[in-house]
Amino acid sequence: MAVTRRKRFSVTKAIVFLVLGILFVTQVYPLLWLLLYSLKSNEEILSGSFFALPHSPQWANYSAALEGNYFRYLLNSIFVTSVTMIAVIILSSLCAYAISRFRWRFGGAVMVVFLIGMMIPMQATLLPLMIIFKNMHILNTHLSIILPYVAFSMPIAIFILSGFMKTIPHEIEESAVVDGAGIGRIFSSIILPISVPPVMTVCILTFINIWNEYILAATFISSEKLKTLPFGVNSFVSQYSVNYGAIGAFLVLGALPVIIIYFLLADKITQGMVAGAVKG
């Protein structure tokens, strides 16, 4: 009987490790491939040997990437992402607080409206937004991409934050009211500090999504001074030639901040995603 259980356990464990190994390879391999791609010459890349190691690492590709207005695009991405994250945290936390903690008739309906926003594809809004922003005279400005970024990031942020805030005991707020605290004080001094784990999750998810976004930036931004990192890749494509190695190096440099931040704060993501479920 014990032998049978050991065999079952071993088989189950082997299957789990196999699945995890496959997931690890599928997630890590594209990053390794991109790193090798960035160290190849155009001839090696165009030869079709995608899996081969570079004969001689082309570190000049990284020099070309840095010279291609990388730092300007980096600052633009940092500015746009930071403003978006601050706006999303403030607005979504206030909305989540009102939906989850206030007792009012239309709280559930408002939540459904925000959840519907998660189902709207970004591509379906490009033409209407183009017309609206043109009439508002904000095309080719950072505001024209920050506004859609905030709008598309808020539904998932409200979903995460409201799910956590519902698990906070109401006795905490009742005690604060007895002590004379108002709604603003309760939110800023009690609810928001308690909600740090899901807030960190929202920050990281928003950062990753906005940092890598290309479609809206390519549609609404045309000025060289305002381009963000993903859209800056086009700088290495001219009418008669393409510097593929520099593009690879540029993509590596663009993905590096996201990878570093994700690994540094991976525990925060897990804690924030499961916090509400554990307390519930």
Side-chain angles (χ1 to χ4, degrees), residues 122-158:
M122 184 182 297
Q123 295 81 357
T125 66
L126 291 179
L127 182 57
L129 288 176
M130 175 71 75
I131 297 174
I132 293 172
F133 292 160
K134 182 178 180 180
N135 294 332
M136 294 174 62
H137 305 288
I138 62 172
L139 271 181
N140 198 29
T141 65
H142 282 152
L143 186 61
S144 64
I145 56 177
I146 290 175
L147 291 178
Y149 287 167
V150 172
F152 280 105
S153 299
M154 280 189 62
I156 185 63
I158 293 174

Side-chain angles (χ1 to χ4, degrees), residues 21 48 56-57 71 83 105 110-111 118 122 180 215 226 243 272 274:
S56 177
F71 291 106
V83 173
R105 181 181 303 177
V110 172
M111 186 64 185
M118 298 171 60
M122 184 182 297
I215 296 177
L226 301 177
N243 192 342
V274 304

Side-chain angles (χ1 to χ4, degrees), residues 92-104 107 165 187:
S92 61
S93 60
L94 290 172
C95 290
Y97 179 58
I99 292 173
S100 60
R101 308 303 292 179
F102 291 177
R103 297 173 182 173
W104 51 304
M165 290 182 182
F187 173 76

